[in-house]
Amino acid sequence: MADRTILVDDLDPMTTQGVERIAFSYRGTEYEIDLGPVHQAELEAALQKFLAGARPRKPGRRAPRSYTRIDPAQTQRMRDWAGKQGLSVPTRGPLPKRIREAYEAAQPDPSHNPTAAQHTPTSTRKNTHANASA
């Protein structure tokens, strides 16, 4: 005789009929929940307007990353400061946002913060529009 798995609604343990496992992702975290027909309908109704405005994600594609490039000398000053504060900071690679934010918050006067003038926002998108005034 084969074993049989009976799913139970995670929101109503008395419901076992018509229960399905629903998998979804939100803000990079994968979730799953077992729901009976009533709770499935509630979830679908709650998501309806968001699904209408959303688009399916193509498998294997990731959103382009954007980052802030900081002068290497400034990066080293931030690393040195973080080490003196007892913060764990990598010796190579980009600085974690929490380190940059802590460093900037610790500066006495934001208008004299040298990192503000040295940040160069970069993005993975290419500018495909020609400047008409050039």
Side-chain angles (χ1 to χ4, degrees), residues 8-34:
V8 177
D9 187 312
D10 289 332
L11 301 178
D12 176 12
M14 300 304 292
T15 302
T16 58
Q17 295 288 70
V19 175
E20 293 180 30
R21 181 157 294 153
I22 309 294
F24 61 97
S25 176
Y26 180 67
R27 295 193 176 213
T29 301
E30 305 260 341
Y31 298 91
E32 64 180 32
I33 189 167
D34 299 333

mmCIF file with all atom_site columns, all heavy atoms in Angstrom, residues 8-34:
data_model
loop_
_atom_site.group_PDB
_atom_site.id
_atom_site.type_symbol
_atom_site.label_atom_id
_atom_site.label_alt_id
_atom_site.label_comp_id
_atom_site.label_asym_id
_atom_site.label_entity_id
_atom_site.label_seq_id
_atom_site.pdbx_PDB_ins_code
_atom_site.Cartn_x
_atom_site.Cartn_y
_atom_site.Cartn_z
_atom_site.occupancy
_atom_site.B_iso_or_equiv
_atom_site.pdbx_formal_charge
_atom_site.auth_seq_id
_atom_site.auth_comp_id
_atom_site.auth_asym_id
_atom_site.auth_atom_id
_atom_site.pdbx_PDB_model_num
ATOM 1   N N   . VAL A 1 8  ? -3.022  20.050 4.900  1.00 0.00 ? 8  VAL A N   1
ATOM 2   C CA  . VAL A 1 8  ? -3.924  20.728 5.822  1.00 0.00 ? 8  VAL A CA  1
ATOM 3   C C   . VAL A 1 8  ? -3.742  22.223 5.620  1.00 0.00 ? 8  VAL A C   1
ATOM 4   O O   . VAL A 1 8  ? -2.610  22.717 5.532  1.00 0.00 ? 8  VAL A O   1
ATOM 5   C CB  . VAL A 1 8  ? -3.599  20.333 7.287  1.00 0.00 ? 8  VAL A CB  1
ATOM 6   C CG1 . VAL A 1 8  ? -4.481  21.095 8.259  1.00 0.00 ? 8  VAL A CG1 1
ATOM 7   C CG2 . VAL A 1 8  ? -3.733  18.834 7.475  1.00 0.00 ? 8  VAL A CG2 1
ATOM 8   N N   . ASP A 1 9  ? -4.837  22.948 5.541  1.00 0.00 ? 9  ASP A N   1
ATOM 9   C CA  . ASP A 1 9  ? -4.789  24.409 5.372  1.00 0.00 ? 9  ASP A CA  1
ATOM 10  C C   . ASP A 1 9  ? -4.003  25.002 6.544  1.00 0.00 ? 9  ASP A C   1
ATOM 11  O O   . ASP A 1 9  ? -4.306  24.748 7.709  1.00 0.00 ? 9  ASP A O   1
ATOM 12  C CB  . ASP A 1 9  ? -6.225  24.958 5.345  1.00 0.00 ? 9  ASP A CB  1
ATOM 13  C CG  . ASP A 1 9  ? -6.290  26.432 5.000  1.00 0.00 ? 9  ASP A CG  1
ATOM 14  O OD1 . ASP A 1 9  ? -5.525  27.228 5.590  1.00 0.00 ? 9  ASP A OD1 1
ATOM 15  O OD2 . ASP A 1 9  ? -7.129  26.791 4.152  1.00 0.00 ? 9  ASP A OD2 1
ATOM 16  N N   . ASP A 1 10 ? -2.963  25.791 6.212  1.00 0.00 ? 10 ASP A N   1
ATOM 17  C CA  . ASP A 1 10 ? -2.116  26.377 7.258  1.00 0.00 ? 10 ASP A CA  1
ATOM 18  C C   . ASP A 1 10 ? -2.851  27.424 8.099  1.00 0.00 ? 10 ASP A C   1
ATOM 19  O O   . ASP A 1 10 ? -2.431  27.727 9.213  1.00 0.00 ? 10 ASP A O   1
ATOM 20  C CB  . ASP A 1 10 ? -0.869  27.008 6.637  1.00 0.00 ? 10 ASP A CB  1
ATOM 21  C CG  . ASP A 1 10 ? 0.105   25.965 6.122  1.00 0.00 ? 10 ASP A CG  1
ATOM 22  O OD1 . ASP A 1 10 ? 0.137   24.844 6.664  1.00 0.00 ? 10 ASP A OD1 1
ATOM 23  O OD2 . ASP A 1 10 ? 0.841   26.264 5.155  1.00 0.00 ? 10 ASP A OD2 1
ATOM 24  N N   . LEU A 1 11 ? -3.930  27.989 7.577  1.00 0.00 ? 11 LEU A N   1
ATOM 25  C CA  . LEU A 1 11 ? -4.680  28.996 8.333  1.00 0.00 ? 11 LEU A CA  1
ATOM 26  C C   . LEU A 1 11 ? -5.907  28.427 9.033  1.00 0.00 ? 11 LEU A C   1
ATOM 27  O O   . LEU A 1 11 ? -6.496  29.092 9.873  1.00 0.00 ? 11 LEU A O   1
ATOM 28  C CB  . LEU A 1 11 ? -5.098  30.135 7.385  1.00 0.00 ? 11 LEU A CB  1
ATOM 29  C CG  . LEU A 1 11 ? -3.946  30.847 6.680  1.00 0.00 ? 11 LEU A CG  1
ATOM 30  C CD1 . LEU A 1 11 ? -4.476  31.913 5.745  1.00 0.00 ? 11 LEU A CD1 1
ATOM 31  C CD2 . LEU A 1 11 ? -2.955  31.432 7.667  1.00 0.00 ? 11 LEU A CD2 1
ATOM 32  N N   . ASP A 1 12 ? -6.303  27.210 8.642  1.00 0.00 ? 12 ASP A N   1
ATOM 33  C CA  . ASP A 1 12 ? -7.457  26.562 9.246  1.00 0.00 ? 12 ASP A CA  1
ATOM 34  C C   . ASP A 1 12 ? -7.186  25.058 9.299  1.00 0.00 ? 12 ASP A C   1
ATOM 35  O O   . ASP A 1 12 ? -7.450  24.338 8.343  1.00 0.00 ? 12 ASP A O   1
ATOM 36  C CB  . ASP A 1 12 ? -8.722  26.835 8.426  1.00 0.00 ? 12 ASP A CB  1
ATOM 37  C CG  . ASP A 1 12 ? -9.935  26.093 8.967  1.00 0.00 ? 12 ASP A CG  1
ATOM 38  O OD1 . ASP A 1 12 ? -9.870  25.547 10.090 1.00 0.00 ? 12 ASP A OD1 1
ATOM 39  O OD2 . ASP A 1 12 ? -10.956 26.061 8.252  1.00 0.00 ? 12 ASP A OD2 1
ATOM 40  N N   . PRO A 1 13 ? -6.625  24.562 10.402 1.00 0.00 ? 13 PRO A N   1
ATOM 41  C CA  . PRO A 1 13 ? -6.231  23.156 10.505 1.00 0.00 ? 13 PRO A CA  1
ATOM 42  C C   . PRO A 1 13 ? -7.367  22.157 10.323 1.00 0.00 ? 13 PRO A C   1
ATOM 43  O O   . PRO A 1 13 ? -7.131  20.972 10.138 1.00 0.00 ? 13 PRO A O   1
ATOM 44  C CB  . PRO A 1 13 ? -5.634  23.042 11.907 1.00 0.00 ? 13 PRO A CB  1
ATOM 45  C CG  . PRO A 1 13 ? -5.418  24.415 12.392 1.00 0.00 ? 13 PRO A CG  1
ATOM 46  C CD  . PRO A 1 13 ? -6.293  25.317 11.602 1.00 0.00 ? 13 PRO A CD  1
ATOM 47  N N   . MET A 1 14 ? -8.620  22.608 10.345 1.00 0.00 ? 14 MET A N   1
ATOM 48  C CA  . MET A 1 14 ? -9.752  21.706 10.162 1.00 0.00 ? 14 MET A CA  1
ATOM 49  C C   . MET A 1 14 ? -10.011 21.420 8.676  1.00 0.00 ? 14 MET A C   1
ATOM 50  O O   . MET A 1 14 ? -10.744 20.503 8.336  1.00 0.00 ? 14 MET A O   1
ATOM 51  C CB  . MET A 1 14 ? -11.019 22.304 10.797 1.00 0.00 ? 14 MET A CB  1
ATOM 52  C CG  . MET A 1 14 ? -10.884 22.553 12.304 1.00 0.00 ? 14 MET A CG  1
ATOM 53  S SD  . MET A 1 14 ? -10.426 21.087 13.260 1.00 0.00 ? 14 MET A SD  1
ATOM 54  C CE  . MET A 1 14 ? -11.897 20.116 13.091 1.00 0.00 ? 14 MET A CE  1
ATOM 55  N N   . THR A 1 15 ? -9.412  22.224 7.774  1.00 0.00 ? 15 THR A N   1
ATOM 56  C CA  . THR A 1 15 ? -9.649  22.061 6.343  1.00 0.00 ? 15 THR A CA  1
ATOM 57  C C   . THR A 1 15 ? -8.583  21.175 5.720  1.00 0.00 ? 15 THR A C   1
ATOM 58  O O   . THR A 1 15 ? -7.390  21.490 5.783  1.00 0.00 ? 15 THR A O   1
ATOM 59  C CB  . THR A 1 15 ? -9.665  23.432 5.627  1.00 0.00 ? 15 THR A CB  1
ATOM 60  O OG1 . THR A 1 15 ? -10.669 24.236 6.216  1.00 0.00 ? 15 THR A OG1 1
ATOM 61  C CG2 . THR A 1 15 ? -9.922  23.292 4.149  1.00 0.00 ? 15 THR A CG2 1
ATOM 62  N N   . THR A 1 16 ? -9.052  20.072 5.107  1.00 0.00 ? 16 THR A N   1
ATOM 63  C CA  . THR A 1 16 ? -8.139  19.177 4.388  1.00 0.00 ? 16 THR A CA  1
ATOM 64  C C   . THR A 1 16 ? -8.613  18.937 2.958  1.00 0.00 ? 16 THR A C   1
ATOM 65  O O   . THR A 1 16 ? -7.835  18.480 2.131  1.00 0.00 ? 16 THR A O   1
ATOM 66  C CB  . THR A 1 16 ? -8.015  17.820 5.112  1.00 0.00 ? 16 THR A CB  1
ATOM 67  O OG1 . THR A 1 16 ? -9.319  17.238 5.232  1.00 0.00 ? 16 THR A OG1 1
ATOM 68  C CG2 . THR A 1 16 ? -7.386  17.984 6.481  1.00 0.00 ? 16 THR A CG2 1
ATOM 69  N N   . GLN A 1 17 ? -9.852  19.257 2.650  1.00 0.00 ? 17 GLN A N   1
ATOM 70  C CA  . GLN A 1 17 ? -10.390 19.042 1.313  1.00 0.00 ? 17 GLN A CA  1
ATOM 71  C C   . GLN A 1 17 ? -9.962  20.169 0.373  1.00 0.00 ? 17 GLN A C   1
ATOM 72  O O   . GLN A 1 17 ? -10.101 21.339 0.703  1.00 0.00 ? 17 GLN A O   1
ATOM 73  C CB  . GLN A 1 17 ? -11.931 18.986 1.339  1.00 0.00 ? 17 GLN A CB  1
ATOM 74  C CG  . GLN A 1 17 ? -12.470 17.811 2.107  1.00 0.00 ? 17 GLN A CG  1
ATOM 75  C CD  . GLN A 1 17 ? -12.246 16.516 1.338  1.00 0.00 ? 17 GLN A CD  1
ATOM 76  O OE1 . GLN A 1 17 ? -11.125 16.041 1.201  1.00 0.00 ? 17 GLN A OE1 1
ATOM 77  N NE2 . GLN A 1 17 ? -13.326 15.962 0.830  1.00 0.00 ? 17 GLN A NE2 1
ATOM 78  N N   . GLY A 1 18 ? -9.426  19.819 -0.794 1.00 0.00 ? 18 GLY A N   1
ATOM 79  C CA  . GLY A 1 18 ? -9.085  20.804 -1.814 1.00 0.00 ? 18 GLY A CA  1
ATOM 80  C C   . GLY A 1 18 ? -7.890  21.673 -1.465 1.00 0.00 ? 18 GLY A C   1
ATOM 81  O O   . GLY A 1 18 ? -7.681  22.718 -2.077 1.00 0.00 ? 18 GLY A O   1
ATOM 82  N N   . VAL A 1 19 ? -7.104  21.251 -0.499 1.00 0.00 ? 19 VAL A N   1
ATOM 83  C CA  . VAL A 1 19 ? -5.939  22.044 -0.085 1.00 0.00 ? 19 VAL A CA  1
ATOM 84  C C   . VAL A 1 19 ? -4.828  21.894 -1.122 1.00 0.00 ? 19 VAL A C   1
ATOM 85  O O   . VAL A 1 19 ? -4.534  20.796 -1.587 1.00 0.00 ? 19 VAL A O   1
ATOM 86  C CB  . VAL A 1 19 ? -5.443  21.611 1.313  1.00 0.00 ? 19 VAL A CB  1
ATOM 87  C CG1 . VAL A 1 19 ? -4.163  22.335 1.692  1.00 0.00 ? 19 VAL A CG1 1
ATOM 88  C CG2 . VAL A 1 19 ? -6.527  21.855 2.354  1.00 0.00 ? 19 VAL A CG2 1
ATOM 89  N N   . GLU A 1 20 ? -4.237  23.023 -1.506 1.00 0.00 ? 20 GLU A N   1
ATOM 90  C CA  . GLU A 1 20 ? -3.119  23.036 -2.447 1.00 0.00 ? 20 GLU A CA  1
ATOM 91  C C   . GLU A 1 20 ? -1.965  23.807 -1.838 1.00 0.00 ? 20 GLU A C   1
ATOM 92  O O   . GLU A 1 20 ? -2.165  24.738 -1.071 1.00 0.00 ? 20 GLU A O   1
ATOM 93  C CB  . GLU A 1 20 ? -3.520  23.717 -3.761 1.00 0.00 ? 20 GLU A CB  1
ATOM 94  C CG  . GLU A 1 20 ? -4.541  22.966 -4.566 1.00 0.00 ? 20 GLU A CG  1
ATOM 95  C CD  . GLU A 1 20 ? -4.880  23.700 -5.856 1.00 0.00 ? 20 GLU A CD  1
ATOM 96  O OE1 . GLU A 1 20 ? -4.006  24.414 -6.395 1.00 0.00 ? 20 GLU A OE1 1
ATOM 97  O OE2 . GLU A 1 20 ? -6.020  23.558 -6.309 1.00 0.00 ? 20 GLU A OE2 1
ATOM 98  N N   . ARG A 1 21 ? -0.763  23.420 -2.231 1.00 0.00 ? 21 ARG A N   1
ATOM 99  C CA  . ARG A 1 21 ? 0.434   24.147 -1.794 1.00 0.00 ? 21 ARG A CA  1
ATOM 100 C C   . ARG A 1 21 ? 0.669   25.283 -2.775 1.00 0.00 ? 21 ARG A C   1
ATOM 101 O O   . ARG A 1 21 ? 0.797   25.074 -3.970 1.00 0.00 ? 21 ARG A O   1
ATOM 102 C CB  . ARG A 1 21 ? 1.636   23.213 -1.739 1.00 0.00 ? 21 ARG A CB  1
ATOM 103 C CG  . ARG A 1 21 ? 2.899   23.923 -1.271 1.00 0.00 ? 21 ARG A CG  1
ATOM 104 C CD  . ARG A 1 21 ? 3.915   22.978 -0.689 1.00 0.00 ? 21 ARG A CD  1
ATOM 105 N NE  . ARG A 1 21 ? 3.345   22.418 0.548  1.00 0.00 ? 21 ARG A NE  1
ATOM 106 C CZ  . ARG A 1 21 ? 3.680   21.230 1.030  1.00 0.00 ? 21 ARG A CZ  1
ATOM 107 N NH1 . ARG A 1 21 ? 4.553   20.484 0.398  1.00 0.00 ? 21 ARG A NH1 1
ATOM 108 N NH2 . ARG A 1 21 ? 3.129   20.787 2.139  1.00 0.00 ? 21 ARG A NH2 1
ATOM 109 N N   . ILE A 1 22 ? 0.727   26.504 -2.273 1.00 0.00 ? 22 ILE A N   1
ATOM 110 C CA  . ILE A 1 22 ? 0.931   27.699 -3.082 1.00 0.00 ? 22 ILE A CA  1
ATOM 111 C C   . ILE A 1 22 ? 2.340   28.211 -2.801 1.00 0.00 ? 22 ILE A C   1
ATOM 112 O O   . ILE A 1 22 ? 2.704   28.466 -1.658 1.00 0.00 ? 22 ILE A O   1
ATOM 113 C CB  . ILE A 1 22 ? -0.084  28.820 -2.712 1.00 0.00 ? 22 ILE A CB  1
ATOM 114 C CG1 . ILE A 1 22 ? -1.516  28.301 -2.713 1.00 0.00 ? 22 ILE A CG1 1
ATOM 115 C CG2 . ILE A 1 22 ? 0.098   30.024 -3.609 1.00 0.00 ? 22 ILE A CG2 1
ATOM 116 C CD1 . ILE A 1 22 ? -2.051  27.882 -4.038 1.00 0.00 ? 22 ILE A CD1 1
ATOM 117 N N   . ALA A 1 23 ? 3.139   28.353 -3.855 1.00 0.00 ? 23 ALA A N   1
ATOM 118 C CA  . ALA A 1 23 ? 4.508   28.880 -3.733 1.00 0.00 ? 23 ALA A CA  1
ATOM 119 C C   . ALA A 1 23 ? 4.531   30.290 -4.311 1.00 0.00 ? 23 ALA A C   1
ATOM 120 O O   . ALA A 1 23 ? 3.893   30.572 -5.324 1.00 0.00 ? 23 ALA A O   1
ATOM 121 C CB  . ALA A 1 23 ? 5.489   27.986 -4.479 1.00 0.00 ? 23 ALA A CB  1
ATOM 122 N N   . PHE A 1 24 ? 5.241   31.185 -3.627 1.00 0.00 ? 24 PHE A N   1
ATOM 123 C CA  . PHE A 1 24 ? 5.380   32.552 -4.126 1.00 0.00 ? 24 PHE A CA  1
ATOM 124 C C   . PHE A 1 24 ? 6.659   33.157 -3.582 1.00 0.00 ? 24 PHE A C   1
ATOM 125 O O   . PHE A 1 24 ? 7.291   32.616 -2.679 1.00 0.00 ? 24 PHE A O   1
ATOM 126 C CB  . PHE A 1 24 ? 4.156   33.403 -3.764 1.00 0.00 ? 24 PHE A CB  1
ATOM 127 C CG  . PHE A 1 24 ? 3.910   33.559 -2.284 1.00 0.00 ? 24 PHE A CG  1
ATOM 128 C CD1 . PHE A 1 24 ? 4.348   34.682 -1.609 1.00 0.00 ? 24 PHE A CD1 1
ATOM 129 C CD2 . PHE A 1 24 ? 3.227   32.579 -1.572 1.00 0.00 ? 24 PHE A CD2 1
ATOM 130 C CE1 . PHE A 1 24 ? 4.110   34.830 -0.255 1.00 0.00 ? 24 PHE A CE1 1
ATOM 131 C CE2 . PHE A 1 24 ? 2.982   32.719 -0.219 1.00 0.00 ? 24 PHE A CE2 1
ATOM 132 C CZ  . PHE A 1 24 ? 3.423   33.846 0.448  1.00 0.00 ? 24 PHE A CZ  1
ATOM 133 N N   . SER A 1 25 ? 7.038   34.269 -4.165 1.00 0.00 ? 25 SER A N   1
ATOM 134 C CA  . SER A 1 25 ? 8.245   34.966 -3.753 1.00 0.00 ? 25 SER A CA  1
ATOM 135 C C   . SER A 1 25 ? 7.886   36.422 -3.496 1.00 0.00 ? 25 SER A C   1
ATOM 136 O O   . SER A 1 25 ? 7.087   37.004 -4.230 1.00 0.00 ? 25 SER A O   1
ATOM 137 C CB  . SER A 1 25 ? 9.301   34.867 -4.860 1.00 0.00 ? 25 SER A CB  1
ATOM 138 O OG  . SER A 1 25 ? 10.443  35.612 -4.522 1.00 0.00 ? 25 SER A OG  1
ATOM 139 N N   . TYR A 1 26 ? 8.470   36.986 -2.454 1.00 0.00 ? 26 TYR A N   1
ATOM 140 C CA  . TYR A 1 26 ? 8.244   38.392 -2.141 1.00 0.00 ? 26 TYR A CA  1
ATOM 141 C C   . TYR A 1 26 ? 9.537   38.986 -1.612 1.00 0.00 ? 26 TYR A C   1
ATOM 142 O O   . TYR A 1 26 ? 10.114  38.472 -0.657 1.00 0.00 ? 26 TYR A O   1
ATOM 143 C CB  . TYR A 1 26 ? 7.122   38.539 -1.108 1.00 0.00 ? 26 TYR A CB  1
ATOM 144 C CG  . TYR A 1 26 ? 6.826   39.964 -0.731 1.00 0.00 ? 26 TYR A CG  1
ATOM 145 C CD1 . TYR A 1 26 ? 6.272   40.845 -1.658 1.00 0.00 ? 26 TYR A CD1 1
ATOM 146 C CD2 . TYR A 1 26 ? 7.123   40.447 0.523  1.00 0.00 ? 26 TYR A CD2 1
ATOM 147 C CE1 . TYR A 1 26 ? 6.009   42.161 -1.325 1.00 0.00 ? 26 TYR A CE1 1
ATOM 148 C CE2 . TYR A 1 26 ? 6.851   41.758 0.874  1.00 0.00 ? 26 TYR A CE2 1
ATOM 149 C CZ  . TYR A 1 26 ? 6.301   42.611 -0.061 1.00 0.00 ? 26 TYR A CZ  1
ATOM 150 O OH  . TYR A 1 26 ? 6.041   43.914 0.273  1.00 0.00 ? 26 TYR A OH  1
ATOM 151 N N   . ARG A 1 27 ? 10.003  40.031 -2.279 1.00 0.00 ? 27 ARG A N   1
ATOM 152 C CA  . ARG A 1 27 ? 11.230  40.737 -1.913 1.00 0.00 ? 27 ARG A CA  1
ATOM 153 C C   . ARG A 1 27 ? 12.417  39.796 -1.730 1.00 0.00 ? 27 ARG A C   1
ATOM 154 O O   . ARG A 1 27 ? 13.187  39.894 -0.771 1.00 0.00 ? 27 ARG A O   1
ATOM 155 C CB  . ARG A 1 27 ? 11.022  41.586 -0.677 1.00 0.00 ? 27 ARG A CB  1
ATOM 156 C CG  . ARG A 1 27 ? 10.037  42.704 -0.943 1.00 0.00 ? 27 ARG A CG  1
ATOM 157 C CD  . ARG A 1 27 ? 10.048  43.718 0.156  1.00 0.00 ? 27 ARG A CD  1
ATOM 158 N NE  . ARG A 1 27 ? 9.140   44.795 -0.219 1.00 0.00 ? 27 ARG A NE  1
ATOM 159 C CZ  . ARG A 1 27 ? 9.322   46.051 0.099  1.00 0.00 ? 27 ARG A CZ  1
ATOM 160 N NH1 . ARG A 1 27 ? 10.354  46.410 0.801  1.00 0.00 ? 27 ARG A NH1 1
ATOM 161 N NH2 . ARG A 1 27 ? 8.457   46.958 -0.277 1.00 0.00 ? 27 ARG A NH2 1
ATOM 162 N N   . GLY A 1 28 ? 12.522  38.852 -2.666 1.00 0.00 ? 28 GLY A N   1
ATOM 163 C CA  . GLY A 1 28 ? 13.675  37.967 -2.683 1.00 0.00 ? 28 GLY A CA  1
ATOM 164 C C   . GLY A 1 28 ? 13.592  36.751 -1.781 1.00 0.00 ? 28 GLY A C   1
ATOM 165 O O   . GLY A 1 28 ? 14.504  35.942 -1.754 1.00 0.00 ? 28 GLY A O   1
ATOM 166 N N   . THR A 1 29 ? 12.519  36.612 -1.036 1.00 0.00 ? 29 THR A N   1
ATOM 167 C CA  . THR A 1 29 ? 12.351  35.451 -0.164 1.00 0.00 ? 29 THR A CA  1
ATOM 168 C C   . THR A 1 29 ? 11.258  34.559 -0.744 1.00 0.00 ? 29 THR A C   1
ATOM 169 O O   . THR A 1 29 ? 10.186  35.047 -1.101 1.00 0.00 ? 29 THR A O   1
ATOM 170 C CB  . THR A 1 29 ? 11.962  35.884 1.260  1.00 0.00 ? 29 THR A CB  1
ATOM 171 O OG1 . THR A 1 29 ? 12.985  36.739 1.777  1.00 0.00 ? 29 THR A OG1 1
ATOM 172 C CG2 . THR A 1 29 ? 11.809  34.683 2.180  1.00 0.00 ? 29 THR A CG2 1
ATOM 173 N N   . GLU A 1 30 ? 11.565  33.265 -0.852 1.00 0.00 ? 30 GLU A N   1
ATOM 174 C CA  . GLU A 1 30 ? 10.597  32.298 -1.374 1.00 0.00 ? 30 GLU A CA  1
ATOM 175 C C   . GLU A 1 30 ? 9.740   31.779 -0.224 1.00 0.00 ? 30 GLU A C   1
ATOM 176 O O   . GLU A 1 30 ? 10.246  31.496 0.859  1.00 0.00 ? 30 GLU A O   1
ATOM 177 C CB  . GLU A 1 30 ? 11.339  31.127 -2.021 1.00 0.00 ? 30 GLU A CB  1
ATOM 178 C CG  . GLU A 1 30 ? 12.327  31.545 -3.083 1.00 0.00 ? 30 GLU A CG  1
ATOM 179 C CD  . GLU A 1 30 ? 11.795  31.375 -4.483 1.00 0.00 ? 30 GLU A CD  1
ATOM 180 O OE1 . GLU A 1 30 ? 10.828  30.627 -4.657 1.00 0.00 ? 30 GLU A OE1 1
ATOM 181 O OE2 . GLU A 1 30 ? 12.351  32.003 -5.389 1.00 0.00 ? 30 GLU A OE2 1
ATOM 182 N N   . TYR A 1 31 ? 8.441   31.662 -0.470 1.00 0.00 ? 31 TYR A N   1
ATOM 183 C CA  . TYR A 1 31 ? 7.496   31.178 0.534  1.00 0.00 ? 31 TYR A CA  1
ATOM 184 C C   . TYR A 1 31 ? 6.636   30.070 -0.067 1.00 0.00 ? 31 TYR A C   1
ATOM 185 O O   . TYR A 1 31 ? 6.493   29.976 -1.286 1.00 0.00 ? 31 TYR A O   1
ATOM 186 C CB  . TYR A 1 31 ? 6.547   32.289 0.978  1.00 0.00 ? 31 TYR A CB  1
ATOM 187 C CG  . TYR A 1 31 ? 7.217   33.466 1.641  1.00 0.00 ? 31 TYR A CG  1
ATOM 188 C CD1 . TYR A 1 31 ? 7.639   34.556 0.891  1.00 0.00 ? 31 TYR A CD1 1
ATOM 189 C CD2 . TYR A 1 31 ? 7.412   33.493 3.014  1.00 0.00 ? 31 TYR A CD2 1
ATOM 190 C CE1 . TYR A 1 31 ? 8.236   35.653 1.499  1.00 0.00 ? 31 TYR A CE1 1
ATOM 191 C CE2 . TYR A 1 31 ? 8.005   34.587 3.630  1.00 0.00 ? 31 TYR A CE2 1
ATOM 192 C CZ  . TYR A 1 31 ? 8.417   35.664 2.861  1.00 0.00 ? 31 TYR A CZ  1
ATOM 193 O OH  . TYR A 1 31 ? 9.006   36.726 3.466  1.00 0.00 ? 31 TYR A OH  1
ATOM 194 N N   . GLU A 1 32 ? 6.039   29.275 0.793  1.00 0.00 ? 32 GLU A N   1
ATOM 195 C CA  . GLU A 1 32 ? 4.992   28.355 0.375  1.00 0.00 ? 32 GLU A CA  1
ATOM 196 C C   . GLU A 1 32 ? 4.005   28.229 1.522  1.00 0.00 ? 32 GLU A C   1
ATOM 197 O O   . GLU A 1 32 ? 4.361   28.352 2.702  1.00 0.00 ? 32 GLU A O   1
ATOM 198 C CB  . GLU A 1 32 ? 5.536   26.998 -0.058 1.00 0.00 ? 32 GLU A CB  1
ATOM 199 C CG  . GLU A 1 32 ? 6.222   26.197 0.995  1.00 0.00 ? 32 GLU A CG  1
ATOM 200 C CD  . GLU A 1 32 ? 6.728   24.869 0.452  1.00 0.00 ? 32 GLU A CD  1
ATOM 201 O OE1 . GLU A 1 32 ? 7.105   24.775 -0.715 1.00 0.00 ? 32 GLU A OE1 1
ATOM 202 O OE2 . GLU A 1 32 ? 6.734   23.918 1.251  1.00 0.00 ? 32 GLU A OE2 1
ATOM 203 N N   . ILE A 1 33 ? 2.745   28.030 1.154  1.00 0.00 ? 33 ILE A N   1
ATOM 204 C CA  . ILE A 1 33 ? 1.679   27.908 2.141  1.00 0.00 ? 33 ILE A CA  1
ATOM 205 C C   . ILE A 1 33 ? 0.643   26.938 1.590  1.00 0.00 ? 33 ILE A C   1
ATOM 206 O O   . ILE A 1 33 ? 0.394   26.904 0.386  1.00 0.00 ? 33 ILE A O   1
ATOM 207 C CB  . ILE A 1 33 ? 1.048   29.290 2.459  1.00 0.00 ? 33 ILE A CB  1
ATOM 208 C CG1 . ILE A 1 33 ? 0.090   29.200 3.641  1.00 0.00 ? 33 ILE A CG1 1
ATOM 209 C CG2 . ILE A 1 33 ? 0.415   29.915 1.236  1.00 0.00 ? 33 ILE A CG2 1
ATOM 210 C CD1 . ILE A 1 33 ? -0.333  30.557 4.201  1.00 0.00 ? 33 ILE A CD1 1
ATOM 211 N N   . ASP A 1 34 ? 0.088   26.122 2.461  1.00 0.00 ? 34 ASP A N   1
ATOM 212 C CA  . ASP A 1 34 ? -0.968  25.190 2.076  1.00 0.00 ? 34 ASP A CA  1
ATOM 213 C C   . ASP A 1 34 ? -2.301  25.857 2.387  1.00 0.00 ? 34 ASP A C   1
ATOM 214 O O   . ASP A 1 34 ? -2.554  26.242 3.539  1.00 0.00 ? 34 ASP A O   1
ATOM 215 C CB  . ASP A 1 34 ? -0.841  23.879 2.856  1.00 0.00 ? 34 ASP A CB  1
ATOM 216 C CG  . ASP A 1 34 ? 0.489   23.176 2.598  1.00 0.00 ? 34 ASP A CG  1
ATOM 217 O OD1 . ASP A 1 34 ? 1.058   23.383 1.515  1.00 0.00 ? 34 ASP A OD1 1
ATOM 218 O OD2 . ASP A 1 34 ? 0.933   22.413 3.474  1.00 0.00 ? 34 ASP A OD2 1
#
